[in-house]
Amino acid sequence: CWSLFFFFFFFQAEDGIRDVERSRGLGDVYKRQVKECINQGMFIFALESTAQSASVAIIKDDKLIAEFFINTGFTHSETLMAMIDAVLKTSGIKLEDIDLFAVSNGPGSFTGVRIGVATIKGIAMALNKPCVGISVLESLAFNLLSHNCIVYSVMDARREEVYNAVFEVEGENVKRLKDDRAIAINDVLKEIEEEYRERDKPISVSYTHL
């Protein structure tokens, strides 16, 4: 499972700022709030629950302050609030201290996405703090920063299908080439062969599972 630490790298890209609900963009006020959190070294609280495993993390000033990862098979409705409570208590940070909340908004398990998004939106709304949604597949692409390559981010969707998106990485910059989608594994392989074999960049795969 990918680590929530990569949320931090994702936030460094302006294109990574997006709303929890993909159909709406962030308003100008929220965009300013998000950029202020990034530039001023404020506390970012991130939650990932799109697969069987789950994790929460707190980040500040290039530093992972605290992280809680669990892969027990229990439902996220049983574990997430306890994980949030534990990571706050052990780090000595209060929810009121958090400046920005982030959550994986898919693709992945529908139930996992729903529980995670509802949890973070509820907390952020109660505290009147900004929250942002992060594509799991785009976060995976940031595992390959500084590698000049085409990245196929892949998440197992079962039944010989995967969730997939394609990105181009150049140094510290990540450019999206294809939107998040569900696609047959054979179609991904065919696409790589037909669309990207002529490029002068290597193709890398960044993978996670449900």
Side-chain angles (χ1 to χ4, degrees), residues 117-135:
V117 168
T119 298
I120 287 299
K121 288 187 73 174
I123 294 172
M125 184 177 294
L127 296 173
N128 195 28
K129 298 291 182 71
C131 66
V132 292
I134 307 299
S135 163

Side-chain angles (χ1 to χ4, degrees), residues 3-209:
S3 169
L4 277 166
F5 185 62
F6 291 106
F7 267 122
F8 172 77
F9 294 109
F10 186 82
F11 282 130
Q12 292 186 4
E14 184 172 347
D15 290 341
I17 299 173
R18 59 185 60 194
D19 193 14
V20 169
E21 296 180 5
R22 295 180 183 178
S23 60
R24 298 201 323 244
L26 282 173
D28 290 339
V29 174
Y30 265 17
K31 281 186 178 180
R32 287 196 296 271
Q33 286 179 303
V34 170
K35 290 180 180 179
E36 286 174 3
C37 291
I38 298 168
N39 295 332
Q40 297 179 20
M42 298 181 181
F43 285 112
I44 297 174
F45 185 97
L47 183 151
E48 149 60 17
S49 62
T50 60
Q52 178 175 310
S53 59
S55 53
V56 296
I58 299 174
I59 299 162
K60 182 183 180 182
D61 290 333
D62 285 354
K63 183 179 180 182
L64 180 63
I65 304 297
E67 183 180 28
F68 194 133
F69 172 83
I70 192 168
N71 190 20
T72 61
F74 293 121
T75 63
H76 297 322
S77 59
E78 296 177 276
T79 59
L80 278 182
M81 295 310 297
M83 292 171 65
I84 291 171
D85 184 61
V87 80
L88 290 169
K89 285 182 176 178
T90 54
S91 66
I93 298 169
K94 298 179 180 179
L95 273 177
E96 292 79 6
D97 298 328
I98 302 299
D99 301 289
L100 172 68
F101 291 89
V103 61
S104 296
N105 62 0
S109 161
F110 174 77
T111 301
V113 172
R114 182 181 61 183
I115 292 172
V117 168
T119 298
I120 287 299
K121 288 187 73 174
I123 294 172
M125 184 177 294
L127 296 173
N128 195 28
K129 298 291 182 71
C131 66
V132 292
I134 307 299
S135 163
V136 173
L137 298 175
E138 194 157 359
S139 298
L140 286 171
F142 279 74
N143 288 332
L144 292 162
L145 283 182
S146 301
H147 293 74
N148 293 333
C149 60
I150 302 298
V151 179
Y152 265 73
S153 294
V154 176
M155 184 180 197
D156 182 16
R158 299 170 182 165
R159 297 184 179 181
E160 298 186 359
E161 288 192 339
V162 293
Y163 298 117
N164 165 251
V166 185
F167 304 88
E168 184 173 14
V169 177
E170 292 186 354
E172 301 297 312
N173 299 312
V174 177
K175 177 183 177 182
R176 179 182 284 273
L177 300 179
K178 289 188 180 293
D179 291 335
D180 294 2
R181 57 191 176 167
I183 185 172
I185 295 174
N186 288 337
D187 289 341
V188 171
L189 297 175
K190 182 178 179 181
E191 180 178 289
I192 291 173
E193 177 68 17
E194 292 181 352
E195 293 191 30
Y196 296 104
R197 62 180 177 179
E198 301 299 330
R199 297 220 178 189
D200 58 354
K201 290 185 176 181
I203 295 173
S204 301
V205 176
S206 189
Y207 172 81
T208 189
H209 56 83

